[in-house]
Amino acid sequence: MPSHEAPHAATGNDGSSSFLADKSAKVFLAGHKGMLGSAVHRRLTALGFTNVVGRSRAELDLTCEAAVRKFFDAERIRYVILAAGKVGGLHASSAAPVDFMTENLRITTNVLAAARLCGTVRKLLFLATSAVYPVDAPQPIPESTLLAGPPAPGNEWYAIPKIVGIKMCQAYRAELGMDAIVAAPNNLYGPREPFPSESSHVIPALIRRFHRAKAAGAPEVAVWGSGLQLREFTHADDAADTIVLLMDRYSGAEHINVGSGREVTVRELAEMVREVVGYQGRIVWDTSRPDGVMRRLLDSSKMRAMGWEPKVELRDGLKKLYEGYLRGSVVTNVESMNR
């Protein structure tokens, strides 16, 4: 993969050191073992940050208000990147809507409250999702369409807590002066331990399905839907670059879209994965299964205006994922900040 150059460090609007000039400060990376969180951790380490703090759920349950308050009071965190949350595919959130709603709401409210009350946090970034946008939003989707309509059916259990998170960051900024910012990525993919098969997102599901069919000599692989849906994928390493850039240069109230701007149909994606895996059989499209949202392309012009450009091409990213899958040391998953 191409190397990712560091963005130029700047001075904060209040004259304080910028994020990139404050590499010895404590950075709490919530969700540091997740797909995006681990990519951010790698990026911060490569940039020379020496005090990145991560906690597993066994060490710190972010849904427990008292535990989160105690952690922030003891650790004296200066920066927070909130990439933790309950994630999964459409099937997973539809099967457990209460868990998705309550866990994600509790994590957001607990971390925001503790970050403000501890008195040491200078800046917080909350990770939202492109699933927050209305199902009939104009394409590409600008940030201004938030709350112009309901999210897609089935996505609401995941999307609504993220909408609440966006508005809470705005409320904390407006009423309490907290520098709370929000990034809204589209479908992300990258190395991470897999979810159970029934809650997989499209890329890991296709990789596993084609690999198993190849190993078994199966003549065909069934894929849900028509394959005509358009999807925008962004590699976690590229998304991690945007997190660093936003932490360093952005202090606005409006959330910022993060998407590669490159669309493929699910058919094109499936063919790409089939070629990467080396499966010689045919693909059968199960049109009795739902397609989901037919298109969700983000308008990421504001992110690009800050100097960001995605570097990882989809085919190259898929090859790396499959190589990791074969090694077993890095198994793949997609954590959509969309579905």
Side-chain angles (χ1 to χ4, degrees), residues 181-192:
I181 63 174
V182 181
N186 211 340
N187 290 296
L188 301 181
Y189 72 104
R192 199 214 153 176

Side-chain angles (χ1 to χ4, degrees), residues 229-296:
Q229 318 94 299
L230 283 164
R231 295 291 181 262
E232 175 188 32
F233 294 99
T234 305
H235 196 278
D237 288 346
D238 284 327
D241 283 348
T242 70
I243 302 309
V244 173
L245 193 58
L246 290 169
M247 287 294 291
D248 191 60
R249 299 187 188 176
Y250 184 69
S251 289
E254 188 174 46
H255 61 287
I256 298 294
N257 285 341
V258 175
S260 67
R262 304 162 185 163
E263 287 183 293
V264 294
T265 66
V266 173
R267 281 181 182 259
E268 291 169 334
L269 175 67
E271 286 293 342
M272 205 178 296
V273 174
R274 185 178 70 85
E275 291 171 11
V276 166
V277 172
Y279 174 65
Q280 300 299 316
R282 65 183 179 276
I283 301 173
V284 177
W285 294 94
D286 184 357
T287 55
S288 68
R289 301 290 189 170
D291 280 331
V293 177
M294 291 305 295
R295 190 186 187 202
R296 188 184 280 126

Side-chain angles (χ1 to χ4, degrees), residues 23-214:
K23 295 178 182 176
S24 62
K26 273 193 177 180
V27 180
F28 177 41
L29 178 53
H32 71 293
K33 291 186 176 180
M35 182 199 53
L36 180 56
S38 60
V40 173
H41 195 283
R42 291 192 300 271
R43 188 71 179 117
L44 293 177
T45 300
L47 288 169
F49 281 81
T50 58
N51 214 347
V52 180
V53 178
R55 293 288 186 272
S56 68
R57 180 158 188 168
E59 295 168 323
L60 175 62
D61 182 358
L62 294 176
T63 67
C64 176
E65 181 181 4
V68 176
R69 284 287 303 276
K70 182 178 179 181
F71 167 79
F72 272 88
D73 288 344
E75 293 294 332
R76 301 191 64 78
I77 301 295
R78 188 172 296 174
Y79 301 101
V80 179
I81 298 172
L82 181 47
K86 187 173 182 63
V87 297
L90 188 62
H91 173 81
S93 61
S94 296
V98 173
D99 288 346
F100 271 79
M101 291 281 285
T102 56
E103 286 192 31
N104 286 320
L105 285 170
R106 284 174 180 166
I107 289 170
T108 302
T109 55
N110 290 344
V111 172
L112 274 168
R116 184 253 169 174
L117 291 170
C118 74
T120 61
V121 171
R122 182 176 293 173
K123 191 169 193 173
L124 177 147
L125 184 145
F126 172 71
L127 265 297
T129 166
S130 62
V132 299
Y133 292 116
V135 65
D136 58 352
Q139 306 288 329
I141 306 171
E143 289 88 349
S144 59
T145 58
L146 181 70
L147 296 180
N155 273 332
E156 65 265 38
W157 315 118
Y158 181 67
I160 289 173
K162 294 296 186 179
I163 294 171
V164 172
I166 293 171
K167 303 311 288 186
M168 284 188 68
C169 286
Q170 292 173 351
Y172 270 76
R173 174 180 293 275
E175 181 179 346
L176 304 170
M178 184 176 181
D179 192 1
I181 63 174
V182 181
N186 211 340
N187 290 296
L188 301 181
Y189 72 104
R192 199 214 153 176
E193 292 183 2
F195 291 106
S197 297
E198 63 271 15
S199 60
S200 271
H201 295 284
V202 63
I203 286 178
L206 288 173
I207 287 176
R208 286 197 297 267
R209 200 170 298 173
F210 284 124
H211 177 77
R212 290 169 181 169
K214 176 184 174 182

